[in-house]
Amino acid sequence: MSLEEKFTAIRKGLLEFLVLKIISANQVYAADILKELNATEFATQEGTLYPLLSKMRREELVDYEWKESEAGPPRKYYELTAKGREALRETHDYWQKISGTVKNLGQK
Amino acid sequence: MNKVITINLNGVAYQLEEGGYDALRTYLDHAARRLEGNPDKDEIITDIEQAIADKFRALLGAYKTVVSTKEVTGVIAEMGPVEGDVTEEAANGAATAGRASAATDDTGREEASSCAPRRLYKIREGAMLAGVCNGVAAYLNFDVTIVRLLFTLLTFLWGTGVVVYLLMAIIVPEARTPAEKAAASGMAATAQEFIKRARAGYYEGMKSFHDRHARREWKRKFKRDMRGWKYGFHQQMHEQSTQWQQQWAQHPSPIFGPVFLAPLLSILLFLLVVLMMWAIYSLVTVHAVFGLVMPSTMPLWVGILLVVVAYQLVAWPIKSVRFACYYPAPHHHHGGLLGGLVGSLIGLFFLGFGIWMMDRHVPEFHEWLVQLPALLQHLADVVKGWFAQKG
């Protein structure tokens, strides 16, 4: 089992966190999110991202706004809600804790 | 040379090669199935269609107007499989293995769901009373007149028809939405569903504009697009019918359909019509059909009705087989001929059952049935004699 396979579940679990992070930077539309993710180990496809975004919207973490685009029909631009920002902060703290643990464990 | 199919993704028409169309359809069907139960299913599908449209647009140019099958499969691979609940799957851990088995599972179910489900509804359009007969006719793929005649006939049996009709009028739901109307006759409501989805998106979009001016602009744009879509569908229908005609011209004998049967069946049907006309004629003039004398208590119009019903019962299976010959399984619709055969078997069953019941309960009919062979012999002799005279 390659490392990549081993970490499939972890990468998936982190995806929501990363999407929150990307959206927190500025208003983005789905293709922007994908572009940013695909440059990393967290490469993701539309088939995964769209259901995730709609779930996050249902949980009121993100919201979108329609904006005209120069090419084609209007696009949905996502932004964080107050609840989303709060979730991002919490997740971020938790992640800091975990990565701290990973770093410190076994070092004496 | 490849056949091209025009599709409509969020208001823009794209032309795909046939193989690509099939692949895209399968992908979207799978996606819809995976999202079953998701409250945002329609919205996600619209988003996915939008993303596919964006990718197609990037592939096309002034001198390239058709998306090839290879390009479509490429785009689908880029999109990746649509996943149900993301967090749930992550919790399950073995995501890859799970997805693989789900994929095979999906292909297994593909066959079953390729035909849109049919439901019994009352249909108001073109109804005489409550639309029960209309709905039953759509459900059984019968002519509505036959269903009405059958109900009328049933009424003579101690008013059964009226009771059944009233019960059905109360119990059977009415087809109100376009989707229900489509389900009433087993058609997939893709076009209507599409427009419905677009409307949902429009209202969603409306919410996000706070400025009155922007809202008006959005509304105007939506209306224009809506017209475009309707035109698009119309256009698509037209193009498909043209393609069908071309296919006809190219392949006079499709692979599945024993088309040589069709003219024979047509002749048979014509002969049946002639026979029915003659039967009615003899009923009116001598109150008898092929030697079967009408009971004096029975009014003439009931006799005529019976003849017409008998004709329809015999003609229906022939018609359905002939239909199957002409339309031998268009690409995403399996079992055209099979469906026709099943239909005709049901028809033959009813015919046999009817004859059996008559034979048991109507002595005159039994007698007539007994001498039928001799009668047919006589008929054949008459025809032979007529030909001999001519020759």
Side-chain angles (χ1 to χ4, degrees):
Chain A
M1 203 185 206
S2 72
L3 274 179
E4 208 171 304
E5 277 172 54
K6 263 187 196 165
F7 281 88
T8 306
I10 289 177
R11 279 204 312 274
K12 278 198 148 185
L14 281 175
L15 198 59
E16 186 176 317
F17 174 37
L18 297 183
V19 170
L20 278 174
K21 267 191 97 161
I22 294 171
I23 298 178
S24 77
N26 50 5
Q27 270 200 350
V28 282
Y29 92 109
D32 294 334
I33 302 176
L34 285 176
K35 215 194 302 172
E36 213 158 321
L37 283 175
N38 286 349
T40 69
E41 306 87 339
F42 291 88
T44 303
Q45 294 174 303
E46 280 92 338
T48 311
L49 183 66
Y50 284 120
L52 176 64
L53 280 175
S54 89
K55 187 195 75 111
M56 287 166 76
R57 196 178 73 93
R58 230 171 25 245
E59 291 169 355
E60 294 172 350
L61 300 177
V62 301
D63 202 1
Y64 61 72
E65 197 182 342
W66 288 96
K67 277 194 179 174
E68 293 285 339
S69 73
E70 62 280 9
R75 290 167 171 167
K76 287 176 181 174
Y77 275 81
Y78 287 89
E79 58 191 347
L80 289 195
T81 60
K83 203 177 160 191
R85 269 190 296 278
E86 178 62 23
L88 175 61
R89 207 178 49 76
E90 275 173 18
T91 322
H92 191 263
D93 287 352
Y94 187 66
W95 175 248
Q96 288 289 327
K97 231 167 83 185
I98 292 181
S99 58
T101 311
V102 172
K103 205 167 148 192
N104 297 331
L105 219 60
Q107 287 191 344
K108 275 191 177 168
Chain B
M1 196 185 75
N2 278 314
K3 197 174 138 186
V4 165
I5 290 174
T6 309
I7 60 156
N8 184 333
L9 287 175
N10 286 10
V12 185
Y14 293 92
Q15 293 184 306
L16 311 185
E17 282 181 2
E18 197 180 6
Y21 168 79
D22 287 341
L24 184 59
R25 215 189 133 86
T26 314
Y27 175 74
L28 288 174
D29 283 353
H30 274 245
R33 227 170 294 142
R34 295 283 282 166
L35 294 170
E36 208 56 70
N38 189 322
D40 292 328
K41 177 184 164 191
D42 288 353
E43 196 185 339
I44 298 172
I45 298 270
T46 314
D47 285 347
I48 284 168
E49 285 182 354
Q50 183 63 55
I52 293 173
D54 284 343
K55 285 177 197 284
F56 283 168
R57 199 173 309 129
L59 289 168
L60 298 174
Y63 295 102
K64 179 168 164 42
T65 54
V66 175
V67 187
S68 75
T69 303
K70 217 176 122 192
E71 284 165 337
V72 175
T73 32
V75 165
I76 289 174
E78 257 177 61
M79 296 290 297
V82 172
E83 291 168 21
D85 201 316
V86 184
T87 44
E88 235 170 69
E89 272 196 33
N92 286 344
T96 1
R99 209 177 318 143
S101 71
T104 45
D105 188 60
D106 276 0
T107 34
R109 266 181 293 162
E110 178 88 88
E111 289 292 305
S113 66
S114 63
C115 283
R118 218 172 252 231
R119 295 221 172 77
L120 186 58
Y121 284 109
K122 287 185 289 190
I123 301 174
R124 282 275 182 195
E125 284 87 354
M128 281 189 162
L129 296 168
V132 170
C133 291
N134 229 346
V136 171
Y139 186 74
L140 296 173
N141 210 5
F142 265 52
D143 190 75
V144 65
T145 317
I146 305 169
V147 180
R148 286 191 184 127
L149 281 178
L150 284 174
F151 265 101
T152 318
L153 276 178
L154 269 178
T155 308
F156 287 100
L157 297 173
W158 309 283
T160 321
V162 177
V163 176
V164 170
Y165 191 95
L166 280 178
L167 276 179
M168 284 180 86
I170 294 164
I171 296 167
V172 176
E174 190 180 322
R176 286 207 179 82
T177 68
E180 283 173 348
K181 277 172 194 160
S185 52
M187 275 187 303
T190 41
Q192 288 99 326
E193 213 165 62
F194 180 85
I195 287 178
K196 191 189 84 195
R197 247 189 256 151
R199 274 213 186 100
Y202 161 72
Y203 290 124
E204 199 64 31
M206 205 63 164
K207 273 188 242 158
S208 66
F209 290 117
H210 301 297
D211 174 28
R212 205 160 56 95
H213 184 71
R215 230 181 275 168
R216 198 183 308 143
E217 182 58 33
W218 177 247
K219 190 170 170 184
R220 196 159 49 219
K221 189 172 156 33
F222 174 76
K223 280 199 172 142
R224 197 180 54 220
D225 282 356
M226 205 69 175
R227 269 199 298 278
W229 290 333
K230 278 186 181 148
Y231 174 76
F233 279 120
H234 191 78
Q235 189 75 4
Q236 192 185 339
M237 292 296 164
H238 177 74
E239 272 170 30
Q240 266 181 3
S241 74
T242 323
Q243 273 168 359
W244 271 64
Q245 279 160 10
Q246 279 169 359
Q247 231 185 358
W248 261 110
Q250 280 163 12
H251 315 281
S253 60
I255 318 119
F256 297 95
V259 142
F260 61 91
L261 259 177
L264 285 180
L265 292 174
S266 295
I267 293 169
L268 202 64
L269 273 175
F270 175 72
L271 286 177
L272 271 174
V273 173
V274 172
L275 213 62
M276 177 185 71
M277 292 301 187
W278 184 68
I280 292 177
Y281 174 74
S282 76
L283 203 64
V284 173
T285 48
V286 295
H287 288 252
V289 182
F290 306 125
L292 176 68
V293 180
M294 204 168 65
S296 53
T297 50
M298 197 164 76
L300 182 64
W301 64 271
V302 175
I304 294 175
L305 212 65
L306 277 172
V307 169
V308 173
V309 169
Y311 159 76
Q312 290 290 4
L313 275 176
V314 180
W316 176 44
I318 302 175
K319 272 186 191 161
S320 56
V321 169
R322 187 176 62 151
F323 183 82
C325 288
Y326 279 128
Y327 305 105
H331 49 266
H332 53 264
H333 179 260
H334 302 282
L337 187 62
L338 197 72
L341 280 177
V342 171
S344 59
L345 280 179
I346 296 171
L348 282 175
F349 170 76
F350 276 115
L351 181 65
F353 183 72
I355 291 176
W356 181 71
M357 284 294 276
M358 291 272 278
D359 189 41
R360 280 194 59 161
H361 297 292
V362 185
E364 290 96 340
F365 185 80
H366 178 76
E367 273 167 39
W368 176 73
L369 210 62
V370 168
Q371 21 164 315
L372 189 65
L375 230 129
L376 284 177
Q377 185 63 46
H378 175 70
L379 203 71
D381 284 344
V382 169
V383 173
K384 245 188 254 167
W386 183 70
F387 266 108
Q389 221 176 13
K390 272 232 142 183

